[in-house]
Amino acid sequence: MKQPLIELREVTKSYRKGDTTVTPLANLNLDVQQGDFLALMGPSGSGKTTLLNLVAGVDQPTSGSVIVAGSDIGLLSRSKLAKWRAHHVGYIFQMYHLVPVLTAYENVELPLLLHSMSRAQRRERVNLALEAVGLLDRHDHYPRQLSGGQEQRVAIARAIVADPVILVADEPTGDLDAASAEATLALLNRLNSEMQKTILMVTHDPKAAAAARRSIHLEKGAIVDAPEQVLVAS
Amino acid sequence: MILSLVHYAWRTMTRHKLRSALTIGGIATAMFLFCFIEGLQNGVRQATENEATQNVLIVYQKSRFCPATSLLPERYVPAIQRIDGVKSVVPVKVYVNNCRASLDTVTFLGVPPELVNTIKKIDLKSGSLGDFTGRRDAAIVGESLAARRGLKPGDRFQIGGFSVGIAGVFKSDTPGEDNVAFTHLEMLQRGKAVDSLGYVTQFEVAIDDPAKADAISEKIDEMFKSETVQTTTKSHKAFIASSTGDLMGMIRFTRFLGLLCVVLVLALTANTVFVMVQERVREHAVLQTIGFAGRHLFSMIIVESLLLALAGGIIGTAAAAAALHFGHFNLSAEGVNISFAFTPLVVAAGMAASAITGLLAGFVPALQASLISITEALRRS
Ligand SMILES: Nc1ncnc2c1ncn2[C@@H]1O[C@H](COP(=O)(O)OP(=O)(O)OP(=O)(O)O)[C@@H](O)[C@H]1O
Ligand SMILES: [Mg+2]
């Protein structure tokens, strides 16, 4: 078997708050192969977002190792980690988190500002990403002029524009109506199957989980039943 | 990248248009005051540190401080002229329509017409010097005074008991002196109710070496010690300093006010930037998630702060420039004029002050923004 793209070994994450320590993740092991589409499920507070943040290099483990795309997240400095994120990860949020004063185009362009690219090169990439999510015609709209589903698609365009290997999504359909949720899931599915993006998606919705290739359940910071390579027909 | 930062910062300012406008308005007001005060300080510097007057001494009647009360006999002139090191002596009668400190004073300097070029290098913008020397009631007026009173050659101009015909308008390299009018000495001496023929307010003594100023001053005062009318001789600079004494105290105090203006700008900008950062904690966390590093956020906030401060600075400086240009303000005390000198130096000072305060005001909020914990900021909703 190939070296996994994401490799978590004995990962523990704890937060200190005054003199109490919260440990959302304890001694967790997880491998994710390149090209996988993994749904992360579990009750509120089980550590799903915490796990996602570790994989996305937004946070670092208290102990254990998180190796993603060949880099040990725990060993990188704050600024190195930022640069690493710019090149390897696209993050999709439940509440989209577009910058309200920038147009759809400018929002999608943001990650590219961190890469050495000419304006023309950026334009080409942004247009491709907007086209991939079917919103090229809305490029000059501001977030407030878009529906929730459209905002989320712009956010997905922003996540894929720099061509990262990994996409992480934290309840991407949590704020959407059924139709928009379905469209979003279909889009993620296409990104996985056609563009070979490895996707880690947190969700509460079994229907959403069904869209993924496999799903795992977290409970109190541990994986409870991780059926090995259970493929769900998509 | 920098361009995108400026673009982003600009968009950010439009988020809360009213708030940005209020802040910029406040900064502009403070910078307006700052530039006004700098202009005044600059005027004082020009009046006292004028190269051209370094070798000029002013002889005044001893213990007299107002042009109306200093009465020196013209017959002293030849004696002073004979002193070693003295190049020329010009008797001047000063008439001021208002002896107190005022913003709109008209000063007449009565000189022997043929000597007007000795006391001052006259650079005529319009009219002719010949018209001035030829007519007893002629006057040439400084540019600022002409602008303030709307005067041009051929006009008549009345002040106090005097009526003069404008023969020309001149420009001076010293703004304070653009506020005076030169007239014939004799006209001023005869025109008053009390005939003061033979008496003048002061002598302007040009010497060949500024280093000899003290020695020559002493010699002049010594010379008339036993006369009924005694003299006090000072360097031009010391004379201005003493005759504008109270005014100078006030002006020195305004320097402190100028500093307060800068502090005000600092507080105003810092406050707004703080609020801007506070309400965008989550947005900054999202940017960091995308891959922006702390230093990117730091520069972004600094650029926003600079933009605010500079916008206010430019508006305030421009307003001050317009006010001083069209207002021709001129402070006058005891016949000495001090103009608000709005020079490129003042513009530079205004811009520098706003840029520096912009940088300083943004520093702490920028640091805050660059050091946020991404996960904690993302959890806020
Ligand atoms: N920065 C932090 N500081 C302190 N405690 C934290 C922090 N982040 C997470 N926690 C705690 O860790 C636990 C797991 O949080 P996490 O956000 O990972 O849960 P989750 O599974 O994503 O829950 P939800 O489904 O509600 O989003 C919670 O008890 C939370 O309070
Ligand atoms: Mg969560």
Side-chain angles (χ1 to χ4, degrees), chain B residues 15 32 54 181 270 340:
Chain B
R15 257 174 240 236
F32 175 85
Q54 283 230 315
F340 289 78

Side-chain angles (χ1 to χ4, degrees), chain A residues 15-17 22-24 42-51 59 170-171 202 204 218, chain B residues 373 375-376 379:
Chain A
Y15 297 103
R16 295 190 71 94
K17 238 186 221 152
V22 194
T23 307
S44 182
S46 55
K48 302 182 298 294
T49 299
T50 306
L51 177 58
D59 210 349
D170 199 348
E171 300 183 40
V202 169
H204 282 296
L218 270 185
Chain B
S373 149
T375 51
E376 271 175 44
R379 290 172 68 81

Side-chain angles (χ1 to χ4, degrees), chain A residues 15 50 53 56-59 78-79 82-83 85-86 89 91 93 95-103 106-107 110-111 113-114 119 122 142 158, chain B residues 1 3-4 7-8 11-12 14-15 282-283 285-296 369-376 378-381:
Chain A
Y15 297 103
T50 306
N53 285 343
V58 165
D59 210 349
R78 224 181 124 93
S79 63
K83 191 167 179 187
R85 286 194 298 272
V89 194
Y91 204 124
F93 305 89
M95 300 305 299
Y96 339 124
H97 291 330
L98 298 176
V99 178
V101 287
L102 300 181
T103 62
E106 290 162 343
N107 265 289
L110 274 177
L113 300 178
L114 299 162
R119 222 184 150 79
R122 289 205 301 268
Y142 286 90
R158 178 179 68 183
Chain B
M1 187 80 199
L3 231 115
S4 315
H7 176 75
Y8 199 140
R11 289 292 183 80
T12 292
T14 62
R15 257 174 240 236
R282 215 183 45 206
E283 184 175 314
V286 170
L287 288 178
Q288 294 215 42
T289 306
I290 287 173
F292 283 79
R295 63 170 197 287
H296 294 127
S370 68
L371 292 177
I372 49 164
S373 149
I374 309 178
T375 51
E376 271 175 44
L378 284 177
R379 290 172 68 81
R380 285 196 208 177
S381 44

Side-chain angles (χ1 to χ4, degrees), chain B residues 209-371:
Chain B
D209 179 5
K212 292 189 200 156
D214 287 344
I216 295 176
S217 299
E218 253 173 64
K219 211 175 239 171
I220 294 171
D221 294 343
E222 187 68 29
M223 196 178 270
F224 307 110
K225 221 169 94 181
S226 48
E227 299 271 353
T228 41
V229 178
Q230 294 164 3
T231 64
T232 300
T233 307
K234 290 176 177 157
S235 70
H236 187 269
K237 184 177 174 173
F239 171 75
I240 287 191
S242 73
S243 51
T244 56
D246 295 345
L247 203 58
M248 285 295 182
M250 228 175 71
I251 290 170
R252 263 192 294 279
F253 175 70
T254 63
R255 176 162 286 180
F256 172 70
L257 290 182
L259 198 72
L260 276 187
C261 287
V262 176
V263 173
L264 200 68
V265 172
L266 188 68
L268 205 59
T269 315
N271 179 58
T272 302
V273 179
F274 258 113
V275 175
M276 285 186 345
V277 168
Q278 291 299 322
E279 67 189 11
R280 292 207 329 261
V281 169
R282 215 183 45 206
E283 184 175 314
H284 290 154
V286 170
L287 288 178
Q288 294 215 42
T289 306
I290 287 173
F292 283 79
R295 63 170 197 287
H296 294 127
L297 292 190
F298 185 87
S299 335
M300 209 167 92
I301 306 303
I302 290 286
V303 168
E304 287 176 16
S305 179
L306 258 179
L307 214 58
L308 269 180
L310 281 179
I314 288 170
I315 295 173
T317 308
L324 291 179
H325 181 74
F326 295 110
H328 298 286
F329 295 109
N330 168 49
L331 275 176
S332 168
E334 293 162 23
V336 174
N337 288 290
I338 291 170
S339 270
F340 289 78
F342 197 85
T343 59
L345 197 75
V346 177
V347 178
M351 289 296 100
S354 28
I356 290 168
T357 48
L359 285 176
L360 286 179
F363 190 80
V364 174
L367 208 61
Q368 262 189 344
S370 68
L371 292 177

